[in-house]
């Protein structure tokens, strides 16, 4: 009997093993499908309502936090060199009751494809009434937003408004290719489970203009054209022979007018001598004629 019982169990063992595998596979598929069908707004889902904005729906069940918004005097730019940029967060209680433990949130979002900011790239401080500026602890949430965590809380009556000052600065290690960032805010209370109105503001990153790496090479100026003087030689004027002076009655014949011993050199020197001689002969003939005419008149 024992032998037959053992033999029967041995024969059924492969079928039991196959059934176990089928049941395990079916359970795995069922669990996997259930995970896929879970809604996106479950408690473990990652989301940041400050990035989406929009109207807040009050269901009347979950406590709602006061509304939060950046003030008009909040900075629109932040200097990459490390200077502080100041922001104001206005918290307005419209919940219908007094709220305790009220505090703003302050997030830094890195939109676009440039390298995202990390906690070591920024500094954030909050102005605490009666205590000065207080550095805030920084962390990164599940959406990649750098989150500042204010430790100061306050009490806010229904219909009341409080303005909190927060300042931001970039460190030297902040990504150089990033040109802007977004600051996010909402508020929380000791009992709130649903945020009120949120706000988001784009802030440009200003950088100093790049200095030239070297001195500019001066362009050589072309020399001014030099005017070449044109040599103009005025022709020398040939002096006309002077009229003969009347000779004295009893004196010798008047000497002819002085003739230049040498004309201006406008040409070769070989032709000047004959011209001078001919001119002198003409003067002498003229003087002789005048003298002869006067003697005839006396006679």
């Amino acid at each position: 009997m024992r032998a037959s019982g053992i033999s029967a169990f041995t024969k059924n063992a492969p079928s039991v093993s196959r059934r176990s595998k089928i049941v395990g596979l079916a359970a795995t598929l069922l669990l996997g499908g259930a995970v896929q069908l879970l809604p996106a707004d479950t408690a473990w889902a990652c989301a940041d309502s400050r990035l989406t904005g929009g109207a807040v729906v009050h269901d009347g069940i979950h406590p709602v936090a006061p509304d939060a918004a950046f003030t008009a005097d909040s900075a629109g730019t932040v200097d990459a060199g490390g200077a502080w940029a100041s922001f104001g967060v206005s918290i307005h209680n419209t919940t219908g009751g007094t709220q305790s433990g009220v505090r703003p949130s302050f997030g830094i979002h890195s939109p676009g494809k440039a390298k995202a900011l990390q906690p070591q790239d920024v500094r954030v401080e909050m102005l605490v009434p009666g205590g000065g500026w207080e550095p805030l602890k920084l962390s990164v949430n599940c959406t990649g937003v750098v989150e500042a965590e204010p430790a100061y809380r306050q009490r806010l009556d229904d219909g009341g408004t409080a303005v909190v000052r927060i300042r931001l600065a970039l460190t030297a290690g902040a990504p150089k290719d990033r040109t802007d960032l977004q600051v996010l805010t909402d508020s929380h209370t000791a009992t709130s489970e649903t945020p009120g109105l949120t706000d988001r503001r784009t802030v440009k990153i200003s950088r100093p203009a790049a200095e030239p790496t070297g001195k500019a090479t001066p362009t050589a100026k072309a020399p001014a054209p030099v005017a070449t003087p044109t040599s103009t030689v005025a022709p020398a004027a040939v002096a006309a022979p002077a009229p003969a002076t009347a000779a004295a009655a009893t004196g010798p014949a008047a000497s002819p007018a002085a003739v230049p011993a040498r004309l201006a050199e406008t040409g070769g020197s070989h032709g000047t001598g004959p011209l001078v001689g001919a001119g002198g002969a003409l003067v002498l003939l003229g003087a002789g004629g005048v003298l002869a005419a006067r003697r005839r008149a006396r006679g």
Side-chain angles (χ1 to χ4, degrees):
M1 294 295 292
R2 289 182 181 177
S4 61
I6 294 173
S7 177
F9 177 79
T10 304
K11 292 179 181 179
N12 294 331
S15 63
V16 173
S17 177
R18 285 195 295 272
R19 289 175 185 175
S20 299
K21 290 181 180 180
I22 293 172
V23 171
L25 180 60
T28 301
L29 294 175
L30 180 61
L31 289 174
V35 170
Q36 295 294 329
L37 294 175
L38 285 174
D41 59 351
T42 53
W44 57 268
C46 179
D48 192 330
S49 60
R50 298 170 301 177
L51 292 173
T52 57
V56 178
V57 179
H58 297 172
D59 56 11
I61 300 175
H62 299 87
V64 180
D67 300 333
F70 288 107
T71 58
D73 63 345
S74 295
T77 61
V78 60
D79 186 6
W84 290 106
S86 179
F87 302 88
V89 178
S90 176
I91 303 174
H92 184 52
N93 186 5
T94 59
T95 61
T98 300
Q99 297 292 335
S100 61
V102 178
R103 71 188 189 279
S105 71
F106 188 83
I108 304 167
H109 175 54
S110 301
K113 297 181 179 180
K115 186 178 179 180
L117 294 168
Q118 299 299 319
Q120 65 269 20
D121 300 328
V122 296
R123 293 183 296 155
V124 182
E125 295 182 354
M126 175 179 173
L127 183 60
V128 177
W133 290 100
E134 177 182 285
L136 302 185
K137 182 181 178 181
L138 302 176
S139 61
V140 180
N141 67 19
C142 61
T143 62
V145 172
V146 177
E147 196 70 48
E149 301 176 10
Y152 176 77
R153 270 81 166 159
Q154 59 185 313
R155 182 174 180 272
L156 192 59
D157 294 332
D158 183 42
T161 301
V163 176
V164 180
R165 303 302 304 185
I166 298 176
R167 63 184 186 180
L168 162 71
L170 299 178
T171 65
K176 301 297 186 293
D177 60 339
R178 175 151 295 280
T179 59
D180 63 354
L181 56 88
Q182 289 180 339
V183 290
L184 318 172
T185 190
D186 62 4
S187 73
H188 302 273
T189 70
T191 59
S192 63
E193 298 178 12
T194 303
L197 294 178
T198 66
D199 198 8
R200 176 176 56 180
R201 184 180 183 91
T202 299
V203 179
K204 297 294 184 182
I205 299 176
S206 62
R207 304 182 186 277
E211 298 180 357
T213 56
K215 295 183 178 180
T217 304
T219 304
K221 295 183 178 179
V226 180
T228 304
T230 303
S231 177
T232 304
V233 180
V238 180
T245 306
T250 57
S255 60
V259 178
R262 191 175 184 184
L263 297 176
E265 296 183 359
T266 57
S269 60
H270 297 286
T272 305
L275 291 175
V276 172
L282 291 175
V283 171
L284 292 177
L285 289 176
V290 171
L291 182 58
R294 288 186 175 182
R295 287 181 177 179
R296 291 177 182 175
R298 290 179 180 179

